[in-house]
Amino acid sequence: MRDKLRKWREDNCRNSEQIVDVGEELISEHASKLGDDIWIIYEQVMIAALDCSRDDLALTCLQELRKQFPDSHRVKRLTGMRLEALERYDDANKHYDAILQEDPTNTAVRKRKISILRAQGKSTEAIRELNEYLEQFVGDQEAWHELSELYINEHDYGKAAFCLEELMMTNPHNHLYCEQYAEVKYTQGGMENLELARKYFAQALRLNNRNMRALFGLYMSASHIAASPKVSAKVKKDNIKYAAWAAAQINRAYKLAGRGNKDNKCSIKAVEEMLESMQITMS
Amino acid sequence: MGEVELSCLAYVKMYLHSCLFPRCSVNGLLLSSGPAGGAVCVTDCVPLLHSHLPLAPITQLALTQVDVWCSQTQQRIVGYYQANACASDSSPTPCALKIADKIAEQFENAVLLMLDGSKMSPDYRVPPIVMYERKDSKWVLKDKHTIMLRQWEETRAIASQMLESGDHAMLVDFDGHLDDITKDWTNQTLNAKIAELSSPANGTI
């Protein structure tokens, strides 16, 4: 059980219901055998409990942590998170401000304040605060990703693309960032963006050839370029080739998936027909 | 405008979809296998996304595939549903309006359904939905009296029961299908389970 919790901590999973199930049992029945691990487990279970509205469990964990580490900023942050979960945002903010007075470089607490803005639906303020934060802490990947999500929700695709570019620069092997960037470019529209989208979908596939979103994205961007009346004959021919390659890969992937699996017969048929119908419009 | 009827199957799947991803905005398409004229009968739904709802490629892909599947199974897309991550705000987002507009281009009496997160707790007895219809190129609130949910108490009971027993984990949305294409976004297995729970032989009526 300890190992499960450790793995979830290391992978940063948000499977709060499972953590609460396993953690609660571990704490109530095996606390004595956990040694010093118990403190980090209390923290993990407390956060998961807040996520599942289990304030009873969260409070228990918090009280144990407070007894053991009375002046810890890390534990004070947890107190603030509990206030957030109870939607007592003003109290939470006062609490966080007090911590920041003593320690202005506490990034975790600054990010909690931004999360409060997000929870309250104040996207513009959240974006502004996050931008200010990133000016100081340029290397914070999590923050760049959060900012890209905020921009996407505000339909500010240009700025979302900028954030994803930062992430791609520092994580050149991450196929997910490539693919998300391509999706943003595709959404922005226009021939130039479509071509960029196609290139980045292709790059995502080079990094991970099982990324179905990238495969479909490549197919769709190439098809749209080929079908446009404004492109040269050579560009059209090239994109038909790319689209045909992508279609073949998609068909292959679905055939493999379909073997011995009755479940997705509907999706296989839908994909086959879709690919056929799009081919007709291209030529 | 006209009457809209929401079936048990459609409601339960929308409910389970939003419960499966409580921290995300989710959306999906409403389908009908009924005849074209008269009241709109929403008989089923297809859960679509739980991430990056405003981005175009996957939404376009999903719309195309669901369209093809509908023509293979004598159904049509009659509406769109969305549940926002922020439970206190159930107003349609710009992307919801855009997708609903697209659907309305093909089907005049299309409906836009928003799930109201603040009314989804067990003590609320009314359906937590807000429906919009298209009037003069704008989406306006639909008159509550034109929205029908037959056997609401039974539907509500089935939804709660399935959530309790963890059946919402069986639901596959389009996002989930793209993560693992062996999973079925038409949710045949889940549909069968819901049908079983709502059949008179089960004694729940």
Side-chain angles (χ1 to χ4, degrees):
Chain A
M1 282 199 283
R2 274 166 107 159
D3 296 328
K4 268 195 215 162
L5 285 177
R6 186 180 342 116
K7 182 165 194 309
W8 291 332
R9 267 197 316 270
E10 284 167 13
D11 293 341
N12 208 6
C13 300
R14 195 176 171 173
N15 53 338
S16 302
E17 288 89 355
Q18 284 179 298
I19 295 176
V20 163
D21 271 339
V22 173
E24 197 171 15
E25 199 187 313
L26 202 58
I27 293 173
S28 53
E29 293 176 30
H30 308 279
S32 47
K33 302 185 204 145
L34 294 169
D36 274 332
D37 266 0
I38 194 164
W39 308 114
I40 202 160
I41 290 178
Y42 271 133
E43 183 185 39
Q44 183 182 14
V45 174
M46 188 223 157
I47 296 178
L50 288 179
D51 214 9
C52 300
S53 295
R54 285 284 312 272
D55 193 46
D56 54 325
L57 180 57
L59 201 50
T60 316
C61 297
L62 187 56
Q63 282 165 340
E64 292 299 315
L65 285 165
R66 275 197 198 134
K67 267 196 293 192
Q68 183 70 11
F69 306 102
D71 290 314
S72 154
H73 277 166
R74 186 162 161 177
V75 174
K76 286 195 181 147
R77 181 192 127 217
L78 294 176
T79 308
M81 283 176 80
R82 180 170 167 266
L83 291 170
E84 283 184 63
L86 296 170
E87 293 188 314
R88 289 167 52 185
Y89 296 122
D90 291 331
D91 289 336
N93 265 320
K94 281 202 207 113
H95 192 79
Y96 290 141
D97 285 334
I99 303 177
L100 284 171
Q101 279 258 11
E102 293 178 25
D103 177 12
T105 64
N106 193 322
T107 56
V109 167
R110 276 186 76 164
K111 289 197 271 191
R112 283 321 314 161
K113 290 196 60 162
I114 295 172
S115 304
I116 292 181
L117 288 170
R118 198 164 177 190
Q120 293 175 309
K122 298 181 178 163
S123 315
T124 330
E125 284 102 325
I127 288 176
R128 193 187 56 223
E129 293 291 319
L130 199 41
N131 267 303
E132 272 181 37
Y133 172 85
L134 280 165
E135 271 168 37
Q136 276 190 283
F137 301 100
V138 146
D140 191 333
Q141 318 272 303
E142 186 186 60
W144 279 112
H145 200 247
E146 185 74 11
L147 187 56
S148 76
E149 301 252 343
L150 283 170
Y151 278 132
I152 288 173
N153 282 332
E154 296 298 302
H155 301 270
D156 197 339
Y157 302 119
K159 300 214 179 89
F162 179 80
C163 299
L164 287 164
E165 281 160 9
E166 283 288 328
L167 286 165
M168 287 196 295
M169 269 201 307
T170 45
N171 302 275
H173 299 294
N174 186 320
H175 65 106
L176 294 172
Y177 292 149
C178 273
E179 185 253 302
Q180 276 179 29
Y181 181 74
E183 283 194 49
V184 170
K185 285 289 153 197
Y186 184 105
T187 310
Q188 280 181 291
M191 197 48 59
E192 222 178 272
N193 285 323
L194 266 183
E195 297 219 307
L196 260 176
R198 192 204 66 225
K199 292 196 177 122
Y200 278 91
F201 280 129
Q203 178 64 5
L205 278 172
R206 265 184 226 114
L207 295 168
N208 179 347
N209 61 3
R210 311 232 311 254
N211 186 329
M212 285 311 291
R213 286 186 182 81
L215 197 47
F216 274 116
L218 175 60
Y219 176 74
M220 285 164 60
S221 35
S223 307
H224 279 301
I225 297 173
S228 162
K230 303 187 204 147
V231 298
S232 69
K234 175 165 191 322
V235 170
K236 189 179 168 104
K237 198 161 151 234
D238 285 342
N239 279 283
I240 292 183
K241 247 190 351 192
Y242 303 140
W245 178 85
Q249 297 299 309
I250 294 172
N251 265 319
R252 198 165 136 258
Y254 272 88
K255 287 220 160 54
L256 274 170
R259 278 208 210 119
N261 185 341
K262 285 189 300 154
D263 261 358
N264 65 346
K265 282 248 167 348
C266 312
S267 20
I268 296 182
K269 281 179 75 185
V271 169
E272 276 175 4
E273 257 206 50
M274 175 193 92
L275 292 175
E276 267 181 43
S277 69
M278 281 182 92
Q279 274 200 350
I280 298 172
T281 51
M282 271 201 310
S283 46
Chain B
M1 254 201 196
E3 284 194 338
V4 176
E5 193 184 317
L6 194 58
S7 74
C8 174
L9 181 66
Y11 176 80
V12 172
K13 276 163 68 174
M14 282 193 293
Y15 182 84
L16 294 180
H17 189 204
S18 55
C19 292
L20 185 55
F21 301 105
R23 296 127 195 159
C24 312
S25 293
V26 298
N27 67 3
L29 299 172
L30 301 173
L31 309 181
S32 172
S33 55
V40 175
C41 254
V42 178
T43 47
D44 196 359
C45 70
V46 174
L48 289 186
L49 307 178
H50 56 266
S51 66
H52 301 138
L53 273 61
L55 291 182
I58 307 302
T59 303
Q60 274 182 16
L61 177 68
L63 275 166
T64 316
Q65 282 209 27
V66 175
D67 219 11
V68 169
W69 181 61
C70 280
S71 55
Q72 292 168 345
T73 52
Q74 284 84 47
Q75 297 182 85
R76 77 182 71 81
I77 301 177
V78 297
Y80 169 86
Y81 76 83
Q82 185 169 306
N84 291 334
C86 193
S88 53
D89 176 15
S90 65
S91 50
T93 57
C95 99
L97 297 171
K98 232 169 42 181
I99 300 178
D101 277 342
K102 261 226 119 52
I103 296 174
E105 276 170 26
Q106 305 290 325
F107 182 71
E108 221 179 23
N109 294 333
V111 290
L112 166 58
L113 194 159
M114 296 299 295
L115 277 161
D116 187 345
S118 61
K119 297 198 172 72
M120 278 175 75
S121 51
D123 33 328
Y124 264 97
R125 318 292 291 199
V126 292
I129 61 181
V130 184
M131 237 191 238
Y132 298 81
E133 60 188 3
R134 215 166 144 72
K135 234 183 202 138
D136 304 322
S137 309
K138 283 209 292 253
W139 289 93
V140 298
L141 271 174
K142 210 168 156 52
D143 177 5
K144 286 205 187 100
H145 299 104
T146 58
I147 307 170
M148 285 200 295
L149 281 101
R150 287 191 208 279
Q151 292 151 346
W152 163 242
E153 283 304 321
E154 186 199 33
T155 301
R156 200 169 68 87
I158 293 175
S160 307
Q161 184 187 334
M162 292 187 87
L163 180 60
E164 283 290 302
S165 48
D167 287 335
H168 56 302
M170 282 171 68
L171 186 136
V172 177
D173 65 2
F174 204 79
D175 249 346
H177 167 76
L178 288 175
D179 288 334
D180 176 357
I181 55 174
T182 59
K183 294 199 176 148
D184 170 30
W185 51 261
T186 67
N187 288 290
Q188 300 299 312
T189 324
L190 186 66
N191 286 358
K193 184 135 197 205
I194 297 173
E196 207 185 285
L197 286 173
S198 61
S199 78
N202 202 31
T204 42
I205 288 194

